[in-house]
């Protein structure tokens, strides 16, 4: 019998989502004779049955598009705002899947999506997740699509900031996305030759940062680039935030790079300026690597659905794809180990991590 598949994109957008939708749809239709239904705006579309048929014509030409043709949101099935009220829409999601006679729902997203998909699995829905995030922080997978493109965007920004920093003999602080994990700031900072890299996993000391910048000045280096992840914290901030839940932590940490930039200027005596890259890191055409990865994941997802395997994350492990039970993924975050080889390499070329 023809298998019917639902697909949604959830959480923050990133390059490669459309490539994954296209790969899942084309492989499902052409190789396995499946029918694909797309749900709009993440889990909200599944709960409210807002859907479109993803026939071949809708999949044509979307490989290179950024964003997602299905739209996305951060809505949670068990806690969704409907008409001004917070409701548990889990059963509504199940009812929608039954109404469409779906054999499975493919949920493409990051850490939050893994938790939401697990809840639906526990409620009786066949689900499969594909890893996407610019933060590269999904547990149990080596990488996720969206990360490579974001690294390229952030690296290009760091490259451009070098010229203006050197022209004006300034310290340029560049804020890079990454609330909990520093993969993006670490990778882009290393690729762009940042002089200081600050990530959430390594709490920093302002005096150490200032000393490193002043030492560069003494050696004739008239400018410095400081790459900072959104979630980077000083040692005192990290101690005071210990034990706080994530929403409070993030709310209390907004604007910290503004304060950091001022502190650097005061302690070094060097003119310092802040650049916040923001959502530009999420946008644009996916890189070749992300298109290939999303295509690999999407087509393999169609294969495992044909094989009747559900309740898993399709994870990248080396040169293979592995099925990881959602129970092993949900609620976990892949952080940068302080002794990671990229950290070690950056230290060896003189990068300061503020510790």
């Amino acid at each position: 019998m023809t298998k019917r598949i639902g697909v949604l994109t959830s959480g923050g957008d990133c390059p490669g989502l459309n490539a994954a939708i296209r790969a899942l749809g084309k492989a499902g239709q052409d190789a396995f004779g499946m029918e694909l239904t797309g749900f709009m705006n993440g889990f909200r579309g599944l709960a409210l049955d807002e859907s479109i048929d993803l026939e071949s014509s809708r999949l044509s030409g979307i490989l290179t598009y950024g964003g997602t043709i299905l739209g996305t949101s951060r809505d949670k099935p068990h806690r969704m705002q409907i008409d001004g009220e917070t409701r548990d829409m889990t059963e509504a999601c199940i009812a929608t899947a039954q109404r469409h006679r779906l054999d499975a729902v493919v949920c493409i997203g990051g850490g939050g999506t893994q938790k939401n998909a697990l809840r639906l699995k526990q409620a009786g829905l066949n689900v499969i997740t594909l890893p996407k995030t610019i933060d590269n922080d999904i547990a149990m997978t080596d990488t996720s699509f969206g990360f490579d493109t974001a690294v390229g965007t952030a690296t290009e920004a760091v490259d451009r900031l070098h010229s203006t920093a050197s022209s004006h003999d300034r310290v340029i602080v560049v804020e890079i996305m990454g609330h909990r994990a520093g993969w993006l700031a670490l990778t882009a900072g290393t690729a762009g030759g940042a002089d200081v890299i600050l990530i959430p996993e390594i709490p920093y000391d302002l005096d150490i940062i200032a000393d490193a910048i002043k030492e560069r000045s003494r050696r004739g280096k008239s400018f410095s680039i400081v790459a900072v992840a959104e979630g980077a914290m000083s040692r005192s901030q990290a101690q005071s935030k210990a034990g706080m839940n994530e929403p409070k932590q993030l709310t209390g940490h907004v604007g910290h790079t503004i304060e950091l930039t001022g502190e650097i200027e005061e302690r070094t005596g060097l003119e310092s300026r802040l650049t916040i890259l923001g959502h530009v890191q999420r946008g644009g055409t996916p890189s070749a690597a992300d298109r290939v990865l999303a295509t690999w994941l999407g087509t393999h997802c169609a294969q495992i659905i044909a094989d009747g395997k559900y309740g898993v994350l399709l994870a990248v492990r080396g040169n293979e794809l592995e099925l990881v039970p959602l129970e092993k993924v949900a609620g976990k975050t892949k952080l940068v180990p302080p002794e990671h080889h990229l950290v070690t390499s950056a230290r060896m070329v003189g990068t300061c991590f503020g510790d």
Side-chain angles (χ1 to χ4, degrees), residues 236-251:
S236 60
Q237 287 172 330
Q239 290 172 356
S240 66
K241 299 293 183 182
M244 295 183 70
N245 61 38
E246 185 178 327
K248 288 183 179 179
Q249 177 176 326
L250 299 183
T251 300

Side-chain angles (χ1 to χ4, degrees), residues 140-143 293 296 315-322:
M140 307 301 292
T141 182
D142 293 348
T143 191
L293 178 57
W296 186 26
V316 181
R317 307 295 290 271
N319 294 320
E320 303 291 334
L321 295 181
E322 294 184 9

Side-chain angles (χ1 to χ4, degrees), residues 24-240:
L24 173 65
K26 290 178 73 67
Q29 293 165 2
D30 297 345
F32 302 105
M34 297 174 179
E35 294 179 1
L36 192 66
T37 299
F39 292 96
M40 306 303 296
N41 302 316
F43 291 100
R44 175 168 290 269
L46 183 61
L48 302 181
D49 197 358
E50 297 172 345
S51 63
I52 58 173
D53 291 329
L54 290 175
E55 67 273 12
S56 180
S57 61
R58 290 187 185 273
L59 302 174
S60 179
I62 68 172
L63 175 65
T64 61
Y65 290 178
T68 165
I69 62 169
L70 295 178
T72 187
S73 74
R74 298 187 185 277
D75 287 297
K76 302 173 177 62
H78 68 293
R79 195 169 66 245
M80 193 175 295
Q81 287 292 316
I82 304 292
D83 297 328
E85 298 180 2
T86 301
R87 301 182 187 177
D88 185 343
M89 300 296 287
T90 302
E91 290 305 317
C93 291
I94 303 298
T96 297
Q98 292 174 341
R99 192 177 306 117
H100 286 268
R101 294 180 294 162
L102 299 180
D103 293 280
V105 175
V106 178
C107 306
I108 309 177
T113 299
Q114 311 308 314
K115 292 189 288 186
N116 291 326
L118 176 58
R119 291 188 183 99
L120 293 179
K121 173 187 176 181
Q122 292 169 339
L125 187 64
N126 288 335
V127 294
I128 298 169
T129 65
L130 301 186
K132 71 86 198 166
T133 173
I134 68 168
D135 294 325
N136 196 36
D137 61 352
I138 301 173
M140 307 301 292
T141 182
D142 293 348
T143 191
S144 54
F145 64 83
F147 178 64
D148 182 77
T149 307
V151 167
T153 300
T155 300
E156 182 181 359
V158 174
D159 290 346
R160 290 175 180 273
L161 290 170
H162 264 99
S163 61
T164 187
S166 61
S167 296
H168 291 273
D169 296 342
R170 287 173 173 165
V171 176
I172 297 288
V173 178
V174 53
E175 181 185 295
I176 297 173
M177 282 186 168
H179 281 302
R180 296 173 298 174
W183 295 106
L184 185 53
L186 171 62
T187 309
T190 301
D195 307 295
V196 178
I197 298 175
L198 305 178
I199 60 176
E201 296 87 344
I202 304 177
Y204 60 81
D205 185 314
L206 270 165
D207 289 331
I208 293 175
I209 296 170
D211 287 345
I213 293 173
K214 287 188 288 187
E215 176 60 25
R216 281 177 51 80
S217 295
R218 285 192 289 269
R219 290 184 286 125
K221 305 288 186 178
S222 62
F223 71 95
S224 293
I225 302 293
V226 181
V228 187
E230 288 172 304
M233 292 186 182
S234 67
R235 289 174 179 171
S236 60
Q237 287 172 330
Q239 290 172 356
S240 66

Side-chain angles (χ1 to χ4, degrees), residues 283-327:
T285 300
S287 67
D290 276 339
R291 296 182 209 179
V292 170
L293 178 57
T295 299
W296 186 26
L297 287 164
T299 53
H300 197 72
C301 184
Q303 176 67 66
I304 66 174
I305 291 172
D307 294 339
K309 300 174 182 177
Y310 310 116
V312 295
L313 164 73
L314 189 51
V316 181
R317 307 295 290 271
N319 294 320
E320 303 291 334
L321 295 181
E322 294 184 9
L323 307 184
V324 181
L326 288 174
E327 290 82 356

